[in-house]
């Protein structure tokens, strides 16, 4: 008998054959919800908590229990009972205080991904452990010249990061442009789109990944936008929307398209382009954020994630069409539907050139480093994920650098899979890919190092000293060892 592809199975499911087992996971949530009732829902944004007079104090309770996912009641992890957690809204110069309350059955902690703050003590310190039943008070001070943009928070307790993010622990952070600097970007409205994925069984509980999915990096059956399945967005023609899109997926790469609409990219992560750039498609690797202007045109457009081949784990080449991991990268997914109708909106003033970010090319380097990412057979017979031949050890320092200096890192990937590499605290200017210089280098905090290729970045280690980490943002890889420790000294 021919194996049934998931798309085919879904079609059959729509004809009332919903009990067909799919892949190894059996009956899935997606089969049951069928993307029908849920697809009619209007997009809902997470609650927003905004700073006042330079301060935002929040309590984030990590819990396990009932939560709304794709229009139905499920059981997952969440901050304050919502998936995603609340959006934290700040301005440069603000102080953010977070009381993290751990109501999970396992240890956790908090990382403020992309924020340029101190990695020490109760700052953005990934070495903190918050045991079950205990609390921890984080305190982050943003400088007055802190970059604006979208950032996010999620757990970072080594060994459990993939489970906890996949389970539902993430939320957005927005740092608004300072008043006056360039003036606000004239827009009709802003939307925050937190994209994540999850696998749920028929009872609405999280389906744990297979050993193979952990090697590849797990991808969920459901791709969610703000916890919803293919929600609907409404607009009038000629409006200008600002979309801030976060890829909070544990391993899934998102090639995002919105055909039929004009898209202009303002930047990726905290990187700002000098002028908005017309784009047809954006690649968001795990952890990335896009800051996008959408100028609406009459009609209905699908926000889609197109397939991206990120390679296969070694020796895992035999995945059949029934394998959910193989499927998720070979099909496109509808993330949301945009309906544009009604009277044409009055045109907005043009978007002027924005900020200018430093260019580290041609600057004096304090060091050149080579980092090598590898996947191999580990000692126990399983797969090992290493940087420079070593698995993560919290008490070992892998790179020692000096505050205020510029370094060039060449990151070489010897494995047959892409790895998205994230450095905490200090963003990276990507200057070369596969040995070819990049004409307009961008600033990002997660960069893609393609399979059997390399990437060159420059980093300015400014403002902070202390120990922090860099790692693969396919969080299964990070949990299995693809992470290193950096110590920035005076
Ligand atoms: Cu978003 Cu160290 O991670
Ligand atoms: Cu990886």
């Amino acid at each position: 008998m021919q194996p049934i592809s998931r798309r085919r199975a879904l079609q059959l499911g729509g004809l009332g054959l919903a009990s067909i087992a799919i892949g190894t996971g059996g009956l899935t949530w997606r089969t049951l919800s069928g993307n029908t009732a849920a697809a009619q829902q209007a997009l809902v944004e997470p609650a927003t908590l905004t700073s006042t007079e330079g301060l935002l104090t929040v309590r984030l309770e990590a819990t396990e229990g009932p939560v709304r996912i794709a229009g139905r009641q499920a059981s997952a992890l969440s901050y304050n009972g919502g998936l995603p957690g609340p959006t934290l809204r700040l301005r440069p110069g603000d102080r953010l205080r977070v009381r993290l309350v751990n109501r999970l059955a396992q240890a956790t902690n908090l990382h403020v991904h992309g924020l340029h703050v101190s990695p020490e003590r109760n700052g953005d310190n990934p070495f903190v452990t918050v045991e079950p039943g205990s609390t921890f008070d984080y305190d982050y001070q943003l400088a007055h010249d802190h970059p604006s943009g979208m950032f996010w928070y999620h757990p970072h307790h080594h060994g459990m990061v993939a489970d906890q993010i996949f389970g539902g622990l993430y939320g957005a952070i927005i740092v608004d442009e300072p008043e006056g600097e360039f003036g606000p970007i004239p827009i009709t409205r802003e939307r925050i789109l937190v994209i994540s994925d999850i696998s749920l069984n028929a009872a609405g509980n999280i389906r744990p990944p297979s050993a193979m999915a952990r090697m590849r990096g797990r991808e969920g059956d459901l791709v969610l936008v703000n916890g919803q399945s293919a929600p609907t967005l409404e607009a009038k023609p000629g409006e200008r929307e600002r979309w801030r899109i976060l890829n909070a997926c544990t391993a899934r790469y998102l090639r995002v398209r919105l055909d039929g609409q004009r898209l202009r990219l303002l930047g990726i992560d905290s990187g700002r382009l000098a002028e908005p750039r017309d784009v047809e498609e954006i690649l968001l690797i795990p952890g990335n954020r896009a800051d996008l202007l959408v100028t609406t045109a009459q009609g209905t457009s699908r926000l889609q994630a197109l397939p991206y081949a990120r390679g296969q784990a070694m020796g895992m080449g035999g995945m059949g069409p029934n394998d959910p991991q193989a499927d998720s990268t070979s099909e496109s997914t509808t993330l949301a539907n945009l309906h544009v109708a009604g009277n044409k909106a009055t045109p907005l003033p043009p978007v002027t050139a924005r900020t200018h970010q430093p260019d580290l090319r041609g600057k004096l380097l304090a060091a050149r480093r080579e980092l090598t990412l590898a996947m191999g057979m580990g000692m126990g017979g399983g797969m090992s994920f290493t940087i420079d031949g070593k698995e993560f050890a919290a008490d070992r320092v892998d790179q020692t650098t000096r505050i205020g200096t510029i370094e060039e890192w060449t990151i070489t990937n010897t494995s047959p899979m892409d790895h998205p590499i994230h450095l905490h605290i200090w963003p990276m200017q990507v200057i070369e890919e596969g040995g070819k210089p990049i004409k307009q280098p961008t600033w990002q905090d997660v960069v893609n190092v393609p399979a059997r290729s390399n990437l060159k970045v420059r980093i300015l280690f400014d403002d902070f000293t202390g120990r922090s980490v860099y790692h693969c943002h396919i969080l299964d890889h990070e949990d299995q060892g693809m992470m290193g420790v950096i110590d920035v000294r005076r």
Side-chain angles (χ1 to χ4, degrees), residues 215-217 253 310 373-375 385 413 415 417-421 449 471-478 482:
M215 278 182 222
R216 262 189 69 73
Y253 281 44
R310 57 183 177 86
L373 314 173
M375 290 164 60
F385 295 84
N413 179 0
S415 81
M417 289 186 75
D418 290 17
H419 297 284
I421 297 299
V449 190
H471 60 88
C472 180
H473 220 289
I474 289 175
L475 298 161
D476 287 294
H477 295 173
E478 181 269 311
M482 198 175 267

Side-chain angles (χ1 to χ4, degrees), residues 113-131:
H113 181 129
L115 288 188
H116 185 61
V117 293
S118 169
E120 294 188 301
R121 293 175 293 273
N122 57 349
D124 187 24
N125 182 349
F127 304 100
V128 164
T129 300
V130 186
E131 297 294 349

Side-chain angles (χ1 to χ4, degrees), residues 350-423:
V351 180
T352 51
R354 311 295 300 171
T355 184
H356 294 283
Q357 287 188 309
D359 189 347
L360 301 183
R361 291 175 300 175
K363 292 270 164 67
L364 188 68
L365 293 176
R368 283 198 162 87
R369 288 174 206 266
E370 311 257 339
L371 275 73
T372 304
L373 314 173
M375 290 164 60
M377 292 316 280
M379 279 182 293
M383 195 76 73
S384 74
F385 295 84
T386 58
I387 301 178
D388 297 330
K390 289 171 281 189
E391 290 184 357
F392 173 70
D395 52 6
R396 181 189 69 225
V397 171
D398 299 291
Q399 321 287 345
T400 305
T401 73
R402 284 219 168 271
I403 186 172
T405 62
I406 299 169
E407 298 198 353
E408 183 173 280
W409 289 18
T410 303
I411 311 170
T412 301
N413 179 0
T414 62
S415 81
M417 289 186 75
D418 290 17
H419 297 284
I421 297 299
H422 173 46
L423 169 65

Side-chain angles (χ1 to χ4, degrees), residues 113-428:
H113 181 129
L115 288 188
H116 185 61
V117 293
S118 169
E120 294 188 301
R121 293 175 293 273
N122 57 349
D124 187 24
N125 182 349
F127 304 100
V128 164
T129 300
V130 186
E131 297 294 349
S134 65
T135 68
F136 190 85
D137 290 326
Y138 288 94
D139 198 334
Y140 313 98
Q141 180 64 53
L142 275 61
H144 287 278
D145 61 352
H146 190 286
S148 56
M150 186 188 211
F151 305 88
W152 62 301
Y153 58 91
H154 65 74
H156 217 288
H157 186 69
H158 180 64
M160 291 164 185
V161 183
D163 280 350
Q164 292 185 1
I165 292 187
F166 194 70
L169 294 175
Y170 39 80
I173 301 174
I174 305 290
V175 179
D176 279 309
E177 280 90 18
E179 308 260 21
E181 191 174 338
F182 295 94
I185 297 173
I187 52 166
T188 317
R189 70 183 65 81
E190 183 196 78
R191 304 201 194 251
I192 290 171
L193 308 174
V194 178
I195 303 178
S196 61
D197 60 355
I198 197 167
S199 293
L200 297 170
N201 63 20
N205 296 313
I206 290 162
R207 202 153 47 79
S210 65
M212 192 202 289
R214 271 167 42 81
M215 278 182 222
R216 262 189 69 73
R218 70 191 76 180
E219 297 192 8
D221 301 320
L222 280 165
V223 185
L224 305 169
V225 179
N226 296 350
Q228 297 174 280
S229 179
T232 298
L233 291 70
E234 308 275 352
K236 286 193 208 131
E239 290 186 320
R240 187 189 293 144
E241 301 198 341
R242 184 176 187 179
W243 290 16
R244 300 177 184 266
I245 311 175
L246 157 64
N247 182 358
C249 297
T250 308
R252 187 187 292 263
Y253 281 44
L254 299 169
R255 265 176 69 202
V256 178
R257 285 189 81 95
L258 181 67
D259 291 339
Q261 306 293 331
R262 183 180 181 203
L263 305 183
R264 282 179 299 163
L265 186 66
L266 294 170
I268 297 283
D269 300 347
S270 66
R272 308 284 85 187
L273 303 171
E275 276 176 68
R277 183 190 299 159
D278 279 284
V279 289
E280 287 191 343
E281 180 176 311
I282 350 161
L283 176 64
L284 288 181
I285 62 177
N288 273 162
R289 292 85 64 204
D291 195 346
L292 200 63
L293 292 177
V294 179
T295 306
T296 52
Q298 185 88 31
T300 295
S301 298
R302 279 196 306 154
L303 180 68
Q304 284 185 285
L306 267 60
Y308 180 91
R310 57 183 177 86
Q312 300 199 330
M314 239 179 298
M316 295 294 136
M319 291 189 293
N322 259 353
D323 188 288
Q325 295 304 317
D327 256 2
S328 52
T329 49
S330 59
E331 281 181 22
S332 61
T333 310
T334 300
L335 302 171
N337 291 295
L338 172 65
H339 296 304
V340 183
N343 294 332
K344 206 163 172 19
T346 34
L348 292 166
V351 180
T352 51
R354 311 295 300 171
T355 184
H356 294 283
Q357 287 188 309
D359 189 347
L360 301 183
R361 291 175 300 175
K363 292 270 164 67
L364 188 68
L365 293 176
R368 283 198 162 87
R369 288 174 206 266
E370 311 257 339
L371 275 73
T372 304
L373 314 173
M375 290 164 60
M377 292 316 280
M379 279 182 293
M383 195 76 73
S384 74
F385 295 84
T386 58
I387 301 178
D388 297 330
K390 289 171 281 189
E391 290 184 357
F392 173 70
D395 52 6
R396 181 189 69 225
V397 171
D398 299 291
Q399 321 287 345
T400 305
T401 73
R402 284 219 168 271
I403 186 172
T405 62
I406 299 169
E407 298 198 353
E408 183 173 280
W409 289 18
T410 303
I411 311 170
T412 301
N413 179 0
T414 62
S415 81
M417 289 186 75
D418 290 17
H419 297 284
I421 297 299
H422 173 46
L423 169 65
H424 287 202
I425 317 294
W426 301 275
M428 299 169 272

